[in-house]
């Protein structure tokens, strides 16, 4: 059974929170009747009291629309009298395991690069990778079990790329930890304060995506540069990736990582280099947070914006496309608190997953949409098993030939870069502002201790504001006296 496409929405039973839920949607959100959706109503505290109403989440995701949706209480899922066969449950768990392996291998190198550039030692980077695996695993297990939907969490890969492009900030690694805490606080506030969500939704898509594209460029250039440094290892990685892109794109990055690992092992054997066995022992390295205004403005704010625009909002859209409503307040609270708790150990951000969500929420995970939440349990459980191995993985990365693992990270981000550029340059009327944003972001400049991502947003919004009035005037003059000027494309501004 394939779930119909749907919009992210709240339960439409009559409650005192309905008006506030609709109020939280930004200008331009459509209203109407939504197809059937699955899962516990967002924000439900418990089963509805007899003759009463369901207490629902009072804050909608940015861009949400109001409409009707079928509550799971409307009727039991259609399945055989014996319930879900064990084979079906095992298949769902297997889909979750695959989602975890694809998500981890396709982007862990980006996370390590970001944490290292922010000033983390190998031990601190390993700790950060481990704790973010644990916090996102615990979060998705709790959410999936509580709401019975295949809601999966992930670390922010675009956010890690942002860290890699920003580099060390005033205050060093401790200041970066402080910035991670602030990001987590902002995510929690987004779940409870609808206006903050609307501010993020109001940032023009082309500006946010242009900033992200500029952040990704240096990392995506890594395979090109690595060819001249370690050709014996990197060229086979590129060949394997290209072949898999042609025949099995889902496994291309995983195969590229395996090829890089084999090449690194051969290189270490030939050069008689040894691994630091003591460093392979998993452990958490705690760092007391330190707050500097440069880190808050230059790291925390851009990291929050990138995470919301490139992870949380798309994550809700992916689940909605399969007929699931995201419990927005619960999801933001869980991911925000997970970010805060994991920050001291080096974890940067936990957020809603998009790619992993597509793997666990699709019909391939389970034919019954009401049972696909089991796949999210498989994803969370796999991340818990992966977490202790991160120290050994970081040790391998440190001993690998220069550029080998960075090449895998660059290849993993190519699709994200292409998508960001497409979205940034799509509206012709704002293309100049998008290009300015992209160039400033890609420049990796630092002004007054604040990184390029913040200045890219500021420059792009300024250029867009300067150019918009003149162009809007021209557009208005061109209309007939009887027709109203079009405002499409400006609703998000």
């Amino acid at each position: 059974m394939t779930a119909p496409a749907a919009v992210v929405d709240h339960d439409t039973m009559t409650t005192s929170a309905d008006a506030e839920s609709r109020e939280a949607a930004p200008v331009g959100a459509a209203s109407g009747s939504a197809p059937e959706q699955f899962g516990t109503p967002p924000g439900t505290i418990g089963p509805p009291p007899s003759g009463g109403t369901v207490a629902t989440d009072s804050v909608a995701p940015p861009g949400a629309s109001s409409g009707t949706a079928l509550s799971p209480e409307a009727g039991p899922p259609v399945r055989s009298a014996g319930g879900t066969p064990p084979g079906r449950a095992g298949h769902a768990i297997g889909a979750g395991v695959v989602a975890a392996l694809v998500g981890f291998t396709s982007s862990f190198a980006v996370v390590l690069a970001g944490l290292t550039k922010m000033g983390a030692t190998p031990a601190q980077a390993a700790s950060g990778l481990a704790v973010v695996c644990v916090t996102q695993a615990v979060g998705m297990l709790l959410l999936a079990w509580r709401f019975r939907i295949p809601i999966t969490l992930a670390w922010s890969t675009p956010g890690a790329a942002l860290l890699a492009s920003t580099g060390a900030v005033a205050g060093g690694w401790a200041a970066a930890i402080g910035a991670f805490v602030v990001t987590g606080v902002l995510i929690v506030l987004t779940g409870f304060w609808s206006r903050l969500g609307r501010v993020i939704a109001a940032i023009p898509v082309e500006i946010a995506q242009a900033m992200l594209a500029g952040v990704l460029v240096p990392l995506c250039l890594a395979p090109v540069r690595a060819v001249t440094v370690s050709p014996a290892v990197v060229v086979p990685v590129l060949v394997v990736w290209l072949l898999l892109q042609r025949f099995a794109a889902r496994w291309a990055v995983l195969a590229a990582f395996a090829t890089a690992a084999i090449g690194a092992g051969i290189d270490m054997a030939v050069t008689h280099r040894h691994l630091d066995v003591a460093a392979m022992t998993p452990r958490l390295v705690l760092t007391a947070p330190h707050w500097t205004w440069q880190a808050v403005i230059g790291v925390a704010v851009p990291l929050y914006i990138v995470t919301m625009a490139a992870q949380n909002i798309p994550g809700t859209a992916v689940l909605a496309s399969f007929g699931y409503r995201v419990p927005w307040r619960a999801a933001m609270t869980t991911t925000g608190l997970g970010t805060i708790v994991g920050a001291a150990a080096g974890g940067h951000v936990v957020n809603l997953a998009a790619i992993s969500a597509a793997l666990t929420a699709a019909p391939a995970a389970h034919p019954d949409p009401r049972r696909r939440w089991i796949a999210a349990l498989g994803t969370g459980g796999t991340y818990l098993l992966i977490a202790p191995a991160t120290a050994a993985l970081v040790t391998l990365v440190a001993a690998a030939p220069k550029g080998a693992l960075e090449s895998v990270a660059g290849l993993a981000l190519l699709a994200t870069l292409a998508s960001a550029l497409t979205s940034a340059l799509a509206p012709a009327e704002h293309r100049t502002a998008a290009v300015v944003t992209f160039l400033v972001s890609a420049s990796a400049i630092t002004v007054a201790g604040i990184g390029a991502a913040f200045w890219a947003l500021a420059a792009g919004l300024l250029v867009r504001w300067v150019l918009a009035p003149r162009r809007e005037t021209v557009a208005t003059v061109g209309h007939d006296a009887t027709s109203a000027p079009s405002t499409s494309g400006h609703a998000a501004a």
Side-chain angles (χ1 to χ4, degrees), residues 93-317:
I93 292 175
V97 172
V98 170
L101 293 177
V102 170
F104 183 88
T105 57
S106 64
S107 58
F108 82 91
V110 183
V111 176
L112 293 180
L115 297 179
T116 302
K117 287 295 183 68
M118 293 300 292
T121 64
Q124 290 169 333
S127 173
L129 185 59
V131 76
V132 80
C133 285
V134 172
T135 51
Q136 70 188 29
V138 172
M140 75 178 82
L141 289 173
L142 292 174
L143 290 171
W145 182 268
R146 170 65 185 84
F147 294 99
R148 294 300 198 269
I149 60 175
I151 182 169
T152 53
L153 305 183
W155 55 60
S156 176
T157 302
L162 170 69
L163 300 181
S165 68
T166 302
V169 294
W173 176 240
I177 296 295
F180 301 161
V181 173
V182 173
T183 301
V185 171
L186 291 174
I187 293 174
V188 173
L189 287 177
T190 305
F192 286 87
W193 190 22
S194 61
R195 290 185 179 180
L196 184 57
R198 286 200 293 267
V199 168
I200 299 302
I203 296 176
V205 173
E206 67 273 9
I207 300 298
Q209 293 298 317
M211 181 195 73
L212 176 60
V215 163
L216 296 176
V217 165
L219 291 172
C220 291
L221 288 175
V224 180
R225 293 169 176 159
V227 168
T228 62
V229 179
S230 306
V233 176
V234 175
V235 170
V237 170
L238 298 178
V239 171
V240 169
W241 174 82
L242 184 59
L243 290 176
L244 268 292
Q245 278 288 327
R246 174 65 178 84
F247 298 105
R250 177 185 296 181
W251 303 102
V253 176
L254 178 59
F257 168 69
T259 305
I262 294 172
I266 295 174
D267 181 82
M268 285 185 285
V270 171
T271 57
H272 303 289
R273 283 182 289 123
H274 300 285
L275 295 174
D276 184 359
V277 178
M280 294 184 176
T281 304
R283 61 193 180 98
L284 295 181
V285 181
L286 301 180
T287 303
H290 174 65
W291 288 277
T292 65
W293 66 269
Q294 294 96 332
V296 170
I297 297 176
V299 177
V301 173
L303 183 58
Y304 166 69
I305 292 173
V306 165
T307 298
M308 293 299 301
Q311 294 278 174
N312 285 335
I313 294 176
T316 63

Side-chain angles (χ1 to χ4, degrees), residues 36-61:
E36 178 181 10
Q37 296 178 322
F38 303 97
T40 303
T44 299
I45 305 303
S50 177
T53 58
V54 176
T56 58
D57 191 339
S58 63
V59 180

